[in-house]
Amino acid sequence: MDLQGIGAVSAAAVTLFGIPAALVVGRWQLRAALRASEETARAGLAQADASYRAALDAVRAQGHVEHAQWRRGVQRDAYAAFLQSVLSYHDCATNLEPSAEEAEMRSRTAELKPLKADMSHKGWVVRLEGPEEVSSAARDLQVSAEVLAVVMRGHVLRMSAIARITERAHTHAQEVTRVWELIPCAQGFWHTIGTAEMEDSSTEVLEELRRLFARLELSQGLIPTICDSSSESPSLDLPSFDEAINAFLRAARSALHPQ
């Protein structure tokens, strides 16, 4: 074989040995490229997931904020509506003049019923909305308003009854004088009426008062109005109306604007 042939055979041999090496290198390069692609894909997915979760958290946070604002708005409206109904009831109960005629007094008393029902309804809404501190303050305020209405009505009726008796002094001076003598006595034993503690002398006083009121042409229903003073100071462990309304305002502000 000549030198040219030997060179050709050698070149062919080198070429045959070079093919596997190229294949190995190519395979390594392919694997490296695949790994890089996978890492890039995982990094992309992780970044996308992080972005998604961040966006989702932001939406949730915004939703919580908006829900809290809406909730406070609902509570504020409920508190304000209840407070307005209490004030309307209070104004109606306290604006009755002692000199009012009996028909007017009955009419004003009738006006209290729908106002009381409205106050009760809106009070239940406050109790449903809560929180407990506001609910408790609302109950105390409602009861205080109702007690005040009872006291004011009793006071007006009593003043009106006294005025009617006093008017009769011009024509029945002796009878009126005797009525004023008996009333303090009747007030002293009034709580014993209908009980075993009531004495015979008390019955005699009541009978005389009834006869005197008949002579004065006055309703005998005015006797308990003047003699029964229990409505003036009800035995309830409650704050005054002003104290109750201030307590409700403090509880409402604390609930709407927590620190």
Side-chain angles (χ1 to χ4, degrees), residues 38-54:
E38 288 176 357
E39 290 175 359
T40 302
R42 279 196 293 268
L45 290 174
Q47 185 177 0
D49 183 66
S51 300
Y52 169 76
R53 291 183 180 278

Side-chain angles (χ1 to χ4, degrees), residues 242-253:
D242 289 340
E243 291 172 340
I245 201 167
N246 287 330
F248 176 77
L249 288 172
R250 286 194 299 271
R253 282 195 294 265

Side-chain angles (χ1 to χ4, degrees), residues 119-198:
M119 178 176 64
S120 177
H121 168 73
K122 290 175 179 175
W124 279 111
V125 174
V126 171
R127 295 183 198 182
L128 288 172
E129 290 296 331
E132 181 57 33
E133 293 77 7
V134 179
S135 177
S136 178
R139 286 194 298 269
D140 288 347
L141 177 56
Q142 181 177 337
V143 175
S144 295
E146 293 174 358
V147 169
L148 178 62
V150 171
V151 171
M152 291 301 300
R153 182 175 181 275
H155 174 73
V156 170
L157 290 173
R158 190 169 295 104
M159 292 300 99
S160 179
I162 291 173
R164 293 180 189 181
I165 295 172
T166 303
E167 289 173 356
R168 301 300 196 275
H170 300 291
T171 55
H172 300 78
Q174 185 176 353
E175 288 84 354
V176 170
T177 299
R178 183 56 179 164
V179 165
W180 293 133
E181 291 174 352
L182 294 175
I183 283 178
C185 179
Q187 289 175 334
F189 67 72
W190 195 263
H191 67 282
T192 67
I193 294 177
T195 69
E197 299 176 9
M198 186 173 181

Side-chain angles (χ1 to χ4, degrees), residues 9-75:
V9 171
S10 298
V14 170
T15 302
L16 290 174
F17 281 112
I19 291 175
L23 290 176
V24 171
V25 172
R27 187 175 300 171
W28 287 346
Q29 292 175 343
L30 178 60
R31 287 178 180 176
L34 289 175
R35 287 197 198 96
S37 298
E38 288 176 357
E39 290 175 359
T40 302
R42 279 196 293 268
L45 290 174
Q47 185 177 0
D49 183 66
S51 300
Y52 169 76
R53 291 183 180 278
L56 184 60
D57 290 342
V59 170
R60 286 175 177 172
Q62 181 64 26
H64 288 316
V65 171
E66 292 178 354
H67 177 75
Q69 291 176 344
W70 170 81
R71 188 87 173 85
R72 282 196 296 271
V74 170
Q75 289 177 323

